[in-house]
Amino acid sequence: MFAFIKTRPRCACWLLLGVLALTGCSSARPPWVNAPTAALPDNTLYRLAARAPYSAQHDLTVVLSFSGGGSRAAAFAHGVLLELAATRIQWQGRTTTLLDEVDLVSGVSGGSVAAAYFVAFGAAGLHRFPEAFLYEDVELQLVSDILLPTHTWRLTSPWYGRSHVLMKQWDRLFEGMRYRDLNQRQRGPLLLISATDLSSGEAFVFTQDQFDRLCSDLADVPLAYAVAASSAVPLLLTPLLLVDHGPQCSARPTAQRYLHLVDGAMSDNLGLEALLRLSSVDDATARPPREMVLISVDAAIDPTHGLSASDRIPGSFQVIDALIHSTIERRNSDTRAALHKAAQQWLASPSGANTALSLIGLNLPELPAAGPTLALRSIPTNFSLARDDANRLIEAGRQALRQHPGYAALLQRLQARDDLPH
């Protein structure tokens, strides 16, 4: 969490002290704020009822979730995507890849970058992602951008923050795309990005259902905004604003006029909370798939590793990291338990009686602690990776999926099912 301060103290001092030394002089406004809409859209794929966790047209449903963890998480998730692209199967009389069968991708913080880039540019964009993002020193570029005179002046405004500067970087990465561009596609996976509502501490998932409450249209939201909100690490970056226009759409009173969004890891570092919300949407008209696959990719590391081996008093950043980590891990445990309970209840219901469910968890900390893998665990959580570390993380993601027993069993079952009459 505070790896940037620890690994680059001089840059951090220039970043924080340079901004804090200035008072509110500028009246600059954010580059984007949600506007009210006259009519809430019905024909959107980003309303959960329109995208139930399965559809009558697909007998194979693949769902991915990518955890937070900065560029480390994005690289590990990218490796999983590459392995899915390399896995060719015969399904319903046609040759396809498991990547082509992905229906939904959920991402948080660093994982949201990999998720959004894949959904935005598809399999064809996978080969561009390392050069476009993983090999880039995003943090150094952010500091450089912040110290530009135009940005430094804007940052004296009480309405313009460091996350808006980062948002401009993400906008270049996603080539200015908005949710409207994703919604207009005939096929392709649904993207679920999660941030955290600073007031409530609850997950804020970018869906039209969520924006209905704000009386706004998700289609207008830049992908850069959603990813910037999901990765807005508290203190180092600033919260991002959403305006609650709810009273303009209904007579309901509102106690909260503004929402301030921060890093999604604060409420759901696994990206599974969004999937739990989706699982609660009941579509009685849809035929359940024969195969449902959930691959949860967790690149979190334990910053408390080594504390118990030393008699020295932990430093302030170590204490803060440990407290944040323990809070996130408790929420992760609760989320995993809720997901498994929901899965068992669904399988026991008539809807899931004829469905084979594969829950595949890929956890970086649980990989064999030897050689290169052990070194990967020491990579801090930030948006800067050495090229060699990025490549090793990509390969670790590929191997983790390839060698997972549940993945091997899935491939065997898919081959056996395809031999049966359809």
Side-chain angles (χ1 to χ4, degrees), residues 369-387:
T373 303
L374 185 60
L376 296 180
R377 298 183 186 182
S378 65
I379 296 174
T381 300
N382 54 30
F383 281 119
S384 176
L385 273 181
R387 182 179 289 254

Side-chain angles (χ1 to χ4, degrees), residues 177-197:
M177 294 184 68
R178 299 186 177 227
Y179 274 87
R180 176 181 296 104
D181 300 300
L182 305 183
N183 195 47
Q184 290 173 347
R185 297 176 179 177
Q186 296 299 315
R187 64 186 305 271
L190 179 74
L191 173 66
L192 295 183
I193 292 179
S194 299
T196 301
D197 182 343

Side-chain angles (χ1 to χ4, degrees), residues 100-121:
D100 287 337
E101 300 304 312
V102 172
D103 296 282
L104 187 151
V105 188
S106 173
V108 174
S109 197
S112 73
V113 184
Y117 198 88
F118 165 58
V119 175
F121 301 109

Side-chain angles (χ1 to χ4, degrees), residues 201-235:
E202 297 300 318
F204 181 96
V205 185
F206 283 80
T207 64
Q208 185 55 55
D209 304 79
Q210 191 84 63
F211 273 74
D212 282 352
R213 301 184 182 96
L214 306 179
C215 191
S216 290
D217 191 347
L218 178 68
D220 294 331
V221 179
L223 285 186
Y225 176 90
V227 173
S230 185
S231 54
V233 179
L235 299 182

Side-chain angles (χ1 to χ4, degrees), residues 141-207:
Q141 184 61 52
L142 176 62
V143 173
S144 299
D145 287 349
I146 285 175
L147 294 178
L148 289 174
T150 52
H151 282 147
T152 302
W153 173 248
R154 291 191 183 102
L155 286 168
T156 66
S157 166
W159 300 285
Y160 195 95
R162 296 180 294 280
S163 290
H164 294 114
V165 182
L166 180 61
M167 179 180 163
K168 289 181 178 293
Q169 287 187 246
W170 294 148
D171 204 44
R172 291 192 294 269
L173 178 66
F174 298 116
E175 300 179 4
M177 294 184 68
R178 299 186 177 227
Y179 274 87
R180 176 181 296 104
D181 300 300
L182 305 183
N183 195 47
Q184 290 173 347
R185 297 176 179 177
Q186 296 299 315
R187 64 186 305 271
L190 179 74
L191 173 66
L192 295 183
I193 292 179
S194 299
T196 301
D197 182 343
L198 186 60
S199 296
S200 67
E202 297 300 318
F204 181 96
V205 185
F206 283 80
T207 64

Side-chain angles (χ1 to χ4, degrees), residues 12 83 163 201 207 213 244 310 334 344 371 397:
E83 189 61 29
S163 290
T207 64
R213 301 184 182 96
D244 185 357
S310 173
D334 292 342
Q344 294 303 316

